[in-house]
């Protein structure tokens, strides 16, 4: 393969609109019921018309799919269900010709138990030191080496027939790598180069704060500081080395960093480390004006000392869809169990999701849009016998899992399976065709039309800072450049501030020209 010209870093990522593609559920090009790269390539005109600047692909690598592709068996091969490496290279090039960059997902904390390294380790060959194997505790080694718990529920250790245990912070099929070993570091730097040389413009780093472990593997309940596997200082040397590689190609990083400490969070965004990190405070914030404003202010304050742009996201492949989350009268959503205290009102959720779209797209920084959000898709109920997410099984059935936000997209209302392709790997709910992209494209009042218009008009807000405007209780109002954004989260309509032009609204104004509740508007000053 001839090396393409490396991606250039012209600062595009500071204000980009980035569309998240969950390949398995995006579009099925060969009719087998699984989304694939051929399906994505066929929908590039749709993504171009939507107006996005980049595509972030969740893992498309060879994988047993025990955790939706986050159990990677080979980072240099595309999973056959999705296509081939040659198709991926073609997709990257075709998208770039349309002005759309590509971001790939790297999962550095762990690999699949089918990865050659782990298979060699189990076979007794060299390489056990690339993972965390330990004898158990108890008289006969029958207890795990420590009290660490898996992110998916249950112990973070699995015992092998030889008596030793191995560490997995996620599913047993995802053994954790030992990042104290130089071969692990070198391999990942080589993987980065492999994809950058194929024209990839950026990398999303999965579970970015979990890689390094205390070599003594102490119990979490010991209470010692720093934490034995979250946000350890030695991680920063890893990301400095990665940044040096990325800078050779003009490529960028976005980290998945869940940290409550703002100062510790900002350390990952220093000029010689990651470029950006996901903003989970905003994503998990309820529909409440005061709490949203606090989240926005805190986010901007966290990023200011290191000069990094904020990111804004309403939903992703791990979170209940926005329409369903916001479709409640109260704000008691429990993100840990995905449980709701009141029934979901989809009409209410849709109004709020439309307003939230205008809010997020007006803020300074980059915005991530999860596939299907632009169609206003709600969370789907998945029959118990069709749930594939390991979180459901490992929780004993108490966690519904994440499959409800991963249902294949509806493209054409009049076609079988709503135009997705073959019989989908996850069942589409009854009535899914009502959300089809072709139907929404013809409706100027649809969610898709709103997103298209908002992305097109987003440059009205310029590159400058945000200034809050005086506003009644329950209302957010701010200006950037010559544009104003007003979001009414209260129950009663409010008057609009002085302006010269109405640019866009998430819902109609009332007969007196006031902004109703759960509605947002963009104005020109």
């Amino acid at each position: 393969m001839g090396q393409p010209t490396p991606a250039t870093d012209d600062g595009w990522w500071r204000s980009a609109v980035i569309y998240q593609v969950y390949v398995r559920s995006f579009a099925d090009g060969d009719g087998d019921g699984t989304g694939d790269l051929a399906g994505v390539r066929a929908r590039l005109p749709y993504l171009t018309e939507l107006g996005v600047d980049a595509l972030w692909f969740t893992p498309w690598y060879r994988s047993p799919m025990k955790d939706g592709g986050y159990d990677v068996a080979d980072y240099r091969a595309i999973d056959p269900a999705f296509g081939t490496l040659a198709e991926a290279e073609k997709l990257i090039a075709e998208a770039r010709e349309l002005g759309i960059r590509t971001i790939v997902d790297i999962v550095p904390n762990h690999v699949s138990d089918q990865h050659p390294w782990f298979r060699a380790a189990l076979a007794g060959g060299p390489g056990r030191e690339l993972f965390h194997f330990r004898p158990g505790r108890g008289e006969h080694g029958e207890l795990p080496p420590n009290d660490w718990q898996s992110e998916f529920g249950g112990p973070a250790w699995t015992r092998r027939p030889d008596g030793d245990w191995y560490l997995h912070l996620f599913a047993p099929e995802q053994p954790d790598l030992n990042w104290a070993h130089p071969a692990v570091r070198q391999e990942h730097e080589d993987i980065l180069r492999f994809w950058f040389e194929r024209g990839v413009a950026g990398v999303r780093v999965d579970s970015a704060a979990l890689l390094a472990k205390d070599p003594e593997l102490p119990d979490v309940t010991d209470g010692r500081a720093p934490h034995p596997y979250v946000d350890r200082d030695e991680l920063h040397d890893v990301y400095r080395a990665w940044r040096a590689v990325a800078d050779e190609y003009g490529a960028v990083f976005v980290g998945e960093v869940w940290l409550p400490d703002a100062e510790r969070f900002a350390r990952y965004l220093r000029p010689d480390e990651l470029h950006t990190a996901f903003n989970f405070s905003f994503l998990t914030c309820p529909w409440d004006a005061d709490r949203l404003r606090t989240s926005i202010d805190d986010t901007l304050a966290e990023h200011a000392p290191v000069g990094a742009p904020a990111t804004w996201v309403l939903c992703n492949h791990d979170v209940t869809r926005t329409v369903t989350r916001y479709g409640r009268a109260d704000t008691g959503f429990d993100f840990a169990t995905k449980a709701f205290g009141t029934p979901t009102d989809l009409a209410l959720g849709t109004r709020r999701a439309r307003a939230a779209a205008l809010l997020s797209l007006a803020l300074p920084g980059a915005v991530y849009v999860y596939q299907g959000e632009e169609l206003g898709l709600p969370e789907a109920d998945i029959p118990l016998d069709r749930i594939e997410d390991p979180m459901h099984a490992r929780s004993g059935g108490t966690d519904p899992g994440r499959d409800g936000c991963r249902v294949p997209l509806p493209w054409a209302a009049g076609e079988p399976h709503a135009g997705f392709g073959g019989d989908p790997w996850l069942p589409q709910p009854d009535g899914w065709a009502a959300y089809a992209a072709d139907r929404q494209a013809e409706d100027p009042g649809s969610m898709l039309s709103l997103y298209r218009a908002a992305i097109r008009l987003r440059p009205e807000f310029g590159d400058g800072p945000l200034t809050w405007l005086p506003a009644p209780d329950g209302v957010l109002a701010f200006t950037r450049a010559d544009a104003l954004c007003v979001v009414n989260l209260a129950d009663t309509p409010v008057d609009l501030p002085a302006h010269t032009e109405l640019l866009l609204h998430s819902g109609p104004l009332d007969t007196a020209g006031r902004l109703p509740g759960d509605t947002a508007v963009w104005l020109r000053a």
Side-chain angles (χ1 to χ4, degrees):
M1 182 203 75
Q3 292 185 5
T5 302
T8 56
D9 176 12
D10 55 5
W12 65 271
W13 46 276
R14 290 185 167 272
S15 59
V17 177
I18 301 166
Y19 187 91
Q20 181 188 352
V21 178
Y22 190 80
V23 179
R24 198 177 183 190
S25 297
F26 185 72
D28 172 18
D30 62 9
D32 66 355
T34 296
D36 47 39
L37 301 189
V40 179
R41 290 176 61 207
R43 299 295 178 180
L44 284 176
Y46 168 87
L47 295 165
T48 302
E49 189 169 1
L50 183 59
V52 300
D53 301 297
L55 305 177
W56 156 35
F57 290 89
T58 52
W60 55 12
Y61 316 106
R62 186 183 297 276
S63 168
M65 296 292 166
K66 298 298 183 181
D67 180 28
Y70 283 87
D71 48 321
V72 179
D74 186 350
Y75 265 114
R76 296 172 177 84
I78 300 297
D79 194 89
F82 300 149
T84 65
L85 180 59
E87 283 184 283
E89 293 170 348
K90 193 173 295 186
L91 171 56
I92 293 166
E94 290 173 350
R96 191 66 185 86
E97 289 175 1
L98 295 170
I100 300 176
R101 293 171 169 86
T102 296
I103 297 172
V104 297
D105 211 316
I106 296 293
V107 190
N109 179 70
H110 50 263
V111 294
S112 165
D113 62 356
Q114 300 303 305
H115 189 283
W117 279 5
F118 193 69
R119 295 175 72 177
L122 295 184
R128 276 175 84 90
E129 67 274 11
L130 301 176
F131 301 90
H132 298 278
F133 283 90
R134 294 292 188 278
R137 296 192 289 193
E139 184 178 356
H140 304 290
E142 72 277 9
L143 300 176
N146 63 29
D147 66 354
W148 296 4
Q149 295 294 297
S150 163
E151 296 288 322
F152 290 167
W157 295 91
T158 290
R159 195 179 193 187
R160 298 294 305 162
D162 64 7
D164 275 355
W165 299 71
Y166 69 88
L167 176 67
H168 52 85
L169 289 181
F170 294 86
E173 296 86 0
Q174 295 166 293
D176 278 36
L177 290 165
N178 175 15
W179 273 87
H181 198 290
V184 173
R185 294 184 58 161
Q186 185 61 55
E187 169 67 358
H188 282 77
E189 290 175 24
D190 291 347
I191 290 168
L192 293 175
R193 291 183 188 278
F194 179 88
W195 287 107
F196 292 154
E197 288 171 1
R198 282 157 179 78
V200 162
V203 166
R204 180 260 191 186
V205 187
D206 183 70
S207 300
L210 301 185
L211 280 56
K213 277 77 174 177
D214 186 325
E216 296 182 16
L217 301 180
D219 286 346
V220 171
T221 51
D222 283 353
R224 69 168 70 182
H227 193 283
Y229 63 83
V230 176
D231 183 34
R232 295 184 60 80
D233 287 343
E234 54 265 42
L235 265 177
H236 297 284
D237 287 338
V238 171
Y239 293 131
R240 288 189 187 98
W242 283 26
R243 179 62 176 260
V245 174
D247 285 349
E248 294 178 28
Y249 297 88
V252 300
F253 293 114
V254 56
E256 183 190 28
V257 183
W258 291 78
L259 291 177
D261 186 316
E263 184 176 345
R264 299 288 300 186
F265 172 84
R267 296 178 74 214
Y268 290 85
L269 302 177
R270 289 176 291 193
D272 61 346
E273 295 192 40
L274 304 179
H275 298 73
T276 60
F278 283 126
N279 175 10
F280 294 107
S281 165
F282 186 77
L283 183 151
T284 58
C285 196
W287 189 245
D288 178 90
D290 291 339
R291 293 178 67 176
L292 279 168
R293 176 164 175 168
T294 297
S295 174
I296 293 167
D297 285 340
D298 289 350
T299 296
L300 296 176
E302 288 171 4
H303 288 72
V306 288
T311 65
W312 311 99
V313 59
L314 296 172
C315 186
N316 62 33
H317 64 294
D318 289 331
V319 176
T320 302
R321 283 200 178 271
T322 309
V323 164
T324 299
R325 290 205 323 272
Y326 284 162
R328 323 177 51 246
D330 62 20
T331 56
F333 179 74
D334 184 343
F335 278 86
T337 64
K338 304 179 181 66
F340 296 88
T342 60
T344 298
D345 179 343
L346 290 183
L348 174 65
T350 299
R351 287 199 305 275
R352 291 176 171 178
R354 290 174 64 91
L358 294 196
L359 170 61
S360 63
L361 286 163
L363 293 170
V367 178
Y368 284 76
V369 178
Y370 177 48
Q371 65 179 44
E373 287 292 288
E374 81 281 10
L375 302 177
L377 297 182
E379 188 82 355
D381 290 326
I382 308 298
L384 294 180
D385 62 345
R386 296 291 300 274
I387 294 177
E388 296 196 12
D389 186 1
M391 291 185 72
H392 176 70
R394 287 186 63 83
S395 70
T398 60
D399 190 316
R402 299 161 293 178
D403 288 345
C405 67
R406 301 175 177 182
V407 173
L409 298 189
W411 290 101
E415 296 182 10
H417 314 302
F420 170 72
D423 188 10
W425 70 278
L426 279 178
Q428 294 172 320
D430 292 340
W432 208 236
Y435 297 97
D438 67 341
R439 179 176 292 180
Q440 293 202 37
E442 302 300 321
D443 177 5
S446 70
M447 185 75 85
L448 177 58
S449 294
L450 178 71
Y451 265 89
R452 286 177 173 175
I455 293 172
R456 184 180 69 253
L457 290 168
R458 190 166 183 258
E460 294 281 345
F461 287 93
D463 297 324
L466 175 155
T467 300
W468 291 107
L469 301 175
D473 289 343
V475 177
L476 299 175
F478 61 86
T479 182
R480 293 179 58 219
D482 294 326
L484 287 73
C485 177
V486 185
V487 187
N488 184 7
L489 295 86
D491 294 329
T492 56
V494 296
D495 292 327
L496 296 178
H499 61 280
T500 61
E501 184 181 354
L502 174 62
L503 295 172
L504 187 63
H505 52 73
S506 67
L509 305 181
D510 71 7
T511 55
R514 297 174 301 179
L515 185 66
D518 298 320
T519 308
V521 65
W522 287 359
L523 308 168
R524 181 173 284 124

